[in-house]
Structures are given as C-alpha cells and as structure tokens.
Amino acid sequence: MQKTNKTRILVECALMVALTVVLDLIPMPSWPNGGSVTIAMVPIVFLSYRHGSRWGLLAGFAYSLVQMITGFYAPPAPTLLSLALTILLDYVLAFTLLGAANFFAGFFHKKIVGYTVGALAVTFIRFCCSFLSGWLIWDSYAPEGQPAWFYSLTYNGGYMIPNMFITALLICLLCLMIDPVTLRRPVSAVRKAN
C-alpha cells in the first residue's frame, strides 16, 4: 500500500511539473532580457500544500531542471563562479524553493491565511534570487550610470512583484474552492452553501 501511495504522489508531482511548463508557455507580458508575468508557479505551490514541502521541493527542483534544459541563459562573464551562481540563483534555488510554501503556511492557524502567506513567501524568495542574480551576475545590463542593484531591483521587480500577488491571489481562490489535501470543497464552503 505504501508503494502505491508514493507512486501516486510521484505521478501527481510529474503532472504538476508538466502543468507548470504548459502554463509558462501561455503568452504573457515578458521582459526583453528574460522574465515574465506568469501564473506558472501556482501548481508547484499547490502541490506543496497537497503533499508537503518535501514533495513540493522535489517538484520544484524537477521544474528547475526543465527550465535549465529549455531556456538556459549563459552569464555575461564567462567564469566558473558566474556560471555556478547563474545555475543556483536563476534556476535551482529560484524554482526549487517554490515547493517550500507549505513550510511557511504551517505558521498560521487559519489555513487560507497560511496558504496565501506561503505563496507570498516563496514567490518573494524567488524575487530575491532574481534580484541577487541581476545585481551580482547580470550587472553589465544596467544602463550606464545606474547602480546595478537598482537596475536589478526595478527590472526584476517589474515582473516578480505582479507574479507574487497573482500567485497568492490564485492560490487563495483555489484553496477557498478546493482543499489541497482532500481535493474537495472545504468544510466552511460546504456549510455556507447549505
């Protein structure tokens, strides 16, 4: 029975990663040097609430590998350190840590508040990864005379801040309609309907 349960969870993880890839293909406003407004983070965050942070992190890591395979951008400075930081900040940490949403949600007694805060927390972490990457690695893209940290903050904030709020809003609405653990309507919603 335990093996069947793990197999089912692995299949769900694979489906959520696939859904994330498909949602990332939907044309949305995108920035010239990478990054876009997207709803693609929602499935990984939802999976974290459904099966816990361990499975969420696994799915997030798998998605980071897919992102590297399908759209890796080489750093402007051809050093081993810049390559390692690009892989770590732009891909591995940025997407893997989306799966930690359940960890942050666990600090709140009201589930819906926890789900919303968890989504905000992990998308903020992704923004921090993008900001650090832009500042430390992609600083040559900053316009002349503009500090690299400010350019990174405004460039990455331009798409990541909307992503934070869109993801949190969609997670909140989704979790109000469907309990992530049971995939049924939450008890409070059933009581209100009756």
Side-chain angles (χ1 to χ4, degrees):
M1 187 68 172
Q2 182 69 11
K3 188 174 181 179
T4 305
N5 194 32
K6 277 190 177 181
T7 303
R8 183 180 55 80
I9 295 171
L10 277 171
V11 169
E12 283 185 40
C13 288
L15 288 172
M16 289 301 197
V17 170
L19 180 60
T20 301
V21 171
V22 169
L23 289 174
D24 200 32
L25 295 174
I26 295 173
M28 298 284 231
S30 61
W31 274 231
N33 298 317
S36 66
V37 176
T38 181
I39 60 173
M41 295 179 279
V42 172
I44 302 295
V45 172
F46 189 79
L47 179 78
S48 177
Y49 297 144
R50 180 148 169 72
H51 293 297
S53 293
R54 188 178 93 191
W55 290 103
L57 290 167
L58 176 69
F61 179 70
Y63 181 57
S64 76
L65 296 177
V66 171
Q67 280 284 35
M68 279 192 283
I69 292 167
T70 60
F72 182 78
Y73 289 100
T79 65
L80 188 58
L81 179 61
S82 64
L83 178 64
L85 284 174
T86 298
I87 291 170
L88 191 66
L89 291 173
D90 286 339
Y91 298 98
V92 176
L93 287 177
F95 295 109
T96 300
L97 292 176
L98 290 173
N102 192 54
F103 169 78
F104 294 102
F107 292 106
F108 296 87
H109 181 67
K110 285 193 86 158
K111 282 186 174 185
I112 196 64
V113 172
Y115 292 153
T116 306
V117 171
L120 282 171
V122 295
T123 52
F124 179 73
I125 291 170
R126 181 167 171 222
F127 164 69
C128 290
C129 289
S130 296
F131 166 72
L132 286 172
S133 174
W135 183 18
L136 300 173
I137 301 162
W138 303 97
D139 59 336
S140 62
Y141 284 75
E144 190 176 328
Q146 190 176 66
W149 69 266
F150 184 74
Y151 174 71
S152 181
L153 182 69
T154 55
Y155 182 88
N156 291 301
Y159 69 91
M160 279 307 302
I161 291 172
N163 282 342
M164 287 170 54
F165 291 106
I166 290 168
T167 301
L169 177 66
L170 290 177
I171 282 292
C172 179
L173 293 173
L174 186 61
C175 292
L176 281 172
M177 295 185 293
I178 303 168
D179 178 36
V181 177
T182 63
L183 295 181
R184 292 189 169 85
R185 288 176 63 191
V187 176
S188 58
V190 173
R191 286 184 190 146
K192 287 179 184 176
N194 291 332

